[in-house]
Amino acid sequence: MRQAIEFLSREGQVEWSTEKPAPGVEPGPRELFLTVGARGEAMPAHPRMLSWKLPQWARRAARSSTSVVLMARAELDAFALELKRQETEGVTGPLVLRIHEATLDGIVAALLAMYRLFHAQFPEGAEALSEYVDAWEQGQTELAGEYERALGPVFYGALRLWPSRKGRPAREVLELLAAVLEAVRSPSELTRLPDALIPSPVSRRLKADALLYRAELSRAQRVQLDIPLAEAKDAPVRRVDALFLSSFQDVSVLKLLARSDTEHTHYGQGFDFMAIHAPQLETAYYRHTFTLAPERAGTLVGLAQQLDTLEGDRLPDGSPRARGTRRFEHQPNDYSDPWYTDGYTSAGGRATLVAPPYAGTRLTRRELWEALWSRFNVGRNVPVLRAHTVYARPFLWKGEQPERELLSRGFRRRNLSDQAGTFHPAVIQSFLGDSQEADVAHHELSAEGQTVHVSVYPNRLVVVWIERPRTEEISLYALAQEQAALAEGRTLLELAPMKELSPWLEPLGSERWLVYGAYRISRSRSSMLDDSRAMQGLFHALASGTVPTLERLPSEAASESRRVLRDAAGETEHWLTPTGGARLELLLDAEEGAPLRCDQDFLLFLLATGQRYSAFEISRRMAEVEQRYRTSRWQSLRPARSVRSDVMMFTNSLWHSRVGEDPDLNARYLAWHSIHGLQETVAAMKDQASELDQYKRDQFDRMVGLLVFVFLPVSLACGFFSGAQFQELSPSVGIPGATTGWFVFLGYTAAFTVLVFGTVAAARLLSWRRR
């Protein structure tokens, strides 16, 4: 073994190369291909191409290049004789070993091949080492053993401490493998190496890697994916925990840590899918790895092809991307493939691994994650049988008398009291348009297969809402995409009634449509409806009207604190968000049931939406009134007529406490209030009104003081001089009415009293009535 290590470490005797050979290229006279090379199935086997992905070895069920070396006893012995013959003939030169990169499989295969060339046999522990490397190369990291003691992580820890140069492994790495071969005789011993075999720097490195992995979990994407079990379109799926992690750590190390991490996974089986981003290498560009353990049923057919398509026509360095001979026999495209899948290597089409790209990728990790999430989204296998969605948006009416304008445009008055159910009569009369004197008037107009509703609130606030029923079956993921496109696009604004009303509508607050929908889901036909973060993210997207992407998935904290109400039977869930909500009816059988329509839940949504924006508008107008009072002294004598009706409407008939006798209905109504912060808004409005009233009283008192200060001295002076002037005259002389000067003084005083205090009393009375 020492002889093999010395030979592999000398630059003049062995040349290591990581240059990827082109498809169809064969090894030279003194060259071995290990873990690299491509060869068609119809071509004869080449004795010096020792890669388990080649057809000649795949037919013999090889699982790693190390096992290929053990199978190639005759080929290696013949190569040793050929090297000796060349030496006798005077042909000299280094032996060339071409590998993809320094991996456990590649270095062990090179070490065993060199041992065989020298001694015409393999060391005693070769079979056990090959079995361990087979499991490692196939992604069966459950068999790798403990992270800090197993051969796989110990090897890669040593490789990080003593990196290879141009493919040549460091002597310390080769000596580590040699010590393992001399001491270990069974695969189980490789899963827990003796402490004496693990260098202390490597042990410290592995402990640091484990701590770093735990820290990186906080910024990783952890979701679920549905992996198909067959290639058929309607094939069943298996849901796995997926970890999208961007890290500078070694790919294989992260695989082992993620697969053994059951604490942070939803199903307690470790993370099956991973994406690793390692851009610190000079030629890495953006290297990623997608893996799915092949010992678990599943197929990723077409994923590598999809990633190749996303690459476009340019390489990472900007040069044109070449097309040519396929690298693998079953490769579906003719790109100079950056992406590799083991489905390319065999006719069986087993596609359970998408490995790092050969030459790097120009795609960012976010683009790749989103492509993977959309392709294997859990919502694609959840059918929605029926859906009924309302899109609502608040506006300010810019004209006068919106009812008259709406009626002239063909809208008709609508009474919603027939859908009131268990609402209080006061709410029915005030909000549902039960009478002509209702606080809120509802109008509707049907056009282009859609019904546009306009709810007119006091003080120029209108809420436009559009119903969109769906009776055809659609997947949950596709429905969320469709709904988000309507909520954030301009399709609804392009309807004919909306175009006609656009000159009078000024957007208020939200620049998107708010949504509320009732959805009937077949639970029996769904792959799974659990409380995983991926499924919660879909329900959240459905309730909020946002696109279901990884970027918009709610955080784990937001998922835990989400507002979800469930009925007593647990068959209906109500998801409520600040931008909308959803009523999910989970059915065991795909039964027809009652038709979905605009009912009490929709009316609660419209009621809470109107209250929310009414509160915003009232607060804004009260702030304008207060600003006028603070800038104009005489405004304190005028009541705020423009906000009186708003305040009366908003605080009318217990709207801010309960709306009916049904406890479930009141619970959902209070949930809307909690989400929109309406209780705090009411308290803030009361404080604002109290502050404004106190300010008006202070201003009024100052005005009374000014009147007293101005008129009282004038009255006293006039009375005094009048009394002094007419003191000696007869009461019937000089002044009509037979009065004296003192009567004049008393008259001035009485007039002053009536003027000042009468004004105070009248203003107080009027102001109280207005409030």
Side-chain angles (χ1 to χ4, degrees), residues 682-750:
V682 170
M685 289 175 60
K686 289 180 179 179
D687 295 340
Q688 188 179 12
S690 299
E691 181 182 355
L692 182 58
D693 286 344
Q694 183 62 39
Y695 181 77
K696 290 173 62 179
R697 285 194 294 268
D698 294 343
Q699 289 289 89
F700 192 84
D701 292 341
R702 293 192 189 99
M703 186 63 64
V704 171
L706 178 62
L707 292 176
V708 172
F709 179 78
V710 172
F711 287 103
L712 180 59
V714 174
S715 177
L716 291 176
C718 291
F720 175 77
F721 287 112
S722 297
Q725 179 180 2
F726 300 110
Q727 180 66 33
E728 302 299 333
L729 298 178
S730 170
S732 60
V733 176
I735 297 178
T739 182
T740 65
W742 296 110
F743 291 156
V744 174
F745 171 75
L746 294 177
Y748 273 108
T749 303

Side-chain angles (χ1 to χ4, degrees), residues 72 126 173 400 475 489 571 598 648 676:
V173 176
E400 298 292 338
S475 71
E571 300 299 327
C598 189
M648 293 297 292
H676 294 162

Side-chain angles (χ1 to χ4, degrees), residues 1 19 36 72 81 95 104 113 122 127 194 254 271 330 357 390 460 482 508 517 584 590 657 673 681 734:
M1 186 63 66
E19 181 182 357
V36 296
L81 294 176
L95 178 65
L104 176 62
F122 291 110
E127 292 292 340
L254 288 174
F271 293 104
H330 303 283
V390 164
R460 301 192 303 127
E482 175 186 289
L508 175 65
L584 305 173
S657 59
H673 272 243
T681 302

Side-chain angles (χ1 to χ4, degrees), residues 411 443-446 450-454 464-466 495 497-498:
F411 284 81
H443 303 78
E444 67 178 11
L445 176 63
S446 298
Q450 305 289 333
T451 302
V452 178
H453 302 259
V454 180
V464 180
W465 47 288
I466 301 174
L495 295 176
M498 293 299 299

